[in-house]
Amino acid sequence: MPALNRSGNVLDEVSDAIDHVNVLKGKVWDEESEFAATKDKQSFRQYNTACERVQAFYKEQHEKQTVAFNIKARVDFKSRKRARMGIWQAMEMLNTLVDDSDPDTDLSQIDHLLQTAEAIRRDGKPEWMQVTGLIHDLGKLLYFFDSDGQWDVVGDTFVVGCAFSDKNIYPETFSGNPDTYDAVYSTKYGIYEAYCGLDNVMISWGHDEYLYHVVKDQCNLPTEALAMIRYHSFYPWHREGAYMHLTNAKDALALEAVRAFNPYDLYSKCDEPVNAEDLRPYYENLIAKFFPPELDW
């Protein structure tokens, strides 16, 4: 396993700021979620506070997430294994992402994962959804493996290979992306066909797409869980309704699943830490139902 030679503090700070912007922009989709209904959304950081930092992040992301980069990222992913370890070990590895300067939360990544899973569990959701909440951000391990920075790990995702939607956050920052001026990539359908399905398009590379490709052939989670993992950061689609001209009937089911998951991801952060060691036996038993003892990362 490679040494952890990067500090996660800056990444965690940016990741949290992105989450807070999405909290303040959005509405709770699943009105029947008891967890989301009890959250005081006014307690989160105000949008304008996070705006400058987040806009700088998205400017870099939007300029660098090109078709060429995304093809290379997928080739690099398939070219080697980065580590071999179990889910709980991966959670402990991710737990080095702690930001001491973040004003909104003093919690580590493992706390967020457990809080998400526990919120899903308290609402009586099935075990597969609980374990999905537990692992959904493990793709951030990419920061320690292959990333070129933060822009290819966190942030809202979007389709590359066709015109960038104006439903993306800060759409004006795509002006620095060379694909904006490409004769094919700048068109409505680009390199795709109408209603081809999201399985046949490239979503911008980051922790969602990375984790999806890690687990899809190494677990027995249902397709709804894989959709929650792959598309939970795909806000222009699941919140704003963008890219529907590329989706098919299968994606409609995925959309329902992602919208059901979203409140637990966004609103689960609080400054009351969970006891990881107390919860570990329950979740290790749950992990064993859906994953082998070790996975290739």
Side-chain angles (χ1 to χ4, degrees):
M1 185 183 303
L4 303 187
N5 56 5
R6 284 189 174 190
S7 168
N9 290 357
V10 176
L11 177 72
D12 202 39
E13 182 178 354
V14 171
S15 181
D16 280 347
I18 290 165
D19 287 346
H20 286 302
V21 167
N22 283 325
V23 166
L24 291 161
K25 284 185 68 183
K27 298 178 181 178
V28 178
W29 174 80
D30 184 359
E31 294 180 353
E32 297 180 357
S33 167
E34 295 178 10
F35 168 76
T38 62
K39 298 305 290 184
D40 175 14
K41 302 169 188 68
Q42 296 302 316
S43 66
F44 289 88
R45 181 185 304 165
Q46 293 301 304
Y47 176 83
N48 288 337
T49 303
C51 182
E52 184 176 349
R53 176 171 56 191
V54 174
Q55 187 171 16
F57 163 83
Y58 277 114
K59 182 177 186 295
E60 181 178 22
Q61 185 205 46
H62 290 174
E63 290 174 351
K64 294 181 177 180
Q65 285 276 0
T66 62
V67 169
F69 167 78
N70 274 270
I71 292 173
K72 179 179 182 298
R74 286 159 173 81
V75 171
D76 290 346
F77 169 79
K78 295 177 180 179
S79 67
R80 66 184 180 89
K81 306 300 181 188
R82 291 141 198 84
R84 184 167 177 80
M85 57 185 165
I87 293 293
W88 196 271
Q89 186 181 0
M91 291 169 59
E92 291 178 329
M93 183 177 177
L94 185 65
N95 207 37
T96 61
L97 285 176
V98 180
D99 177 23
D100 295 332
S101 66
D102 182 23
D104 289 311
T105 179
D106 295 324
L107 300 179
S108 64
Q109 290 291 316
I110 200 170
D111 283 311
H112 171 56
L113 295 178
L114 285 168
Q115 285 180 343
T116 303
E118 282 291 278
I120 294 169
R121 181 185 177 190
R122 284 193 299 272
D123 267 5
K125 304 300 183 183
E127 289 182 335
W128 65 261
M129 190 170 176
Q130 295 173 37
V131 80
T132 300
L134 185 72
I135 72 165
H136 75 280
D137 271 348
L138 285 183
K140 291 179 182 178
L141 289 173
L142 185 63
Y143 184 66
F144 295 128
F145 295 147
D146 293 340
S147 76
D148 290 333
Q150 301 171 36
W151 59 270
D152 59 343
V153 179
V154 295
D156 293 4
T157 57
F158 47 89
V159 177
V160 299
C162 66
F164 298 116
S165 172
D166 61 5
K167 300 294 186 181
N168 288 306
I169 189 170
Y170 306 122
E172 69 279 1
T173 58
F174 284 105
S175 63
N177 187 311
D179 290 357
T180 299
Y181 310 101
D182 185 272
V184 176
Y185 303 155
S186 62
T187 62
K188 179 178 180 179
Y189 292 101
I191 59 177
Y192 311 114
E193 296 181 0
Y195 308 111
C196 60
L198 294 180
D199 283 341
N200 297 305
V201 306
M202 280 193 296
I203 308 294
S204 57
W205 186 254
H207 74 279
D208 297 23
E209 193 74 0
Y210 167 68
L211 184 62
Y212 167 75
H213 284 287
V214 167
V215 303
K216 66 183 179 72
D217 296 323
Q218 300 188 87
C219 73
N220 59 1
L221 289 171
T223 55
E224 293 90 347
L226 295 177
M228 292 172 181
I229 290 168
R230 191 177 197 182
Y231 302 127
H232 71 269
S233 299
F234 193 13
Y235 280 91
W237 175 60
H238 69 70
R239 174 176 289 171
E240 305 295 339
Y243 302 111
M244 292 300 181
H245 59 290
L246 300 176
T247 62
N248 60 18
K250 178 184 176 182
D251 299 323
L253 298 176
L255 180 60
E256 183 178 354
V258 177
R259 285 177 169 171
F261 177 76
N262 185 246
Y264 299 104
D265 182 21
L266 275 188
Y267 300 117
S268 61
K269 285 187 179 180
C270 67
D271 285 325
E272 296 178 7
V274 294
N275 190 314
E277 288 308 307
D278 285 351
L279 293 173
R280 182 170 182 168
Y282 174 80
Y283 283 107
E284 285 196 317
N285 180 63
L286 208 60
I287 289 166
K289 293 181 179 182
F290 298 97
F291 293 95
E294 292 185 335
L295 288 77
D296 289 324
W297 296 82

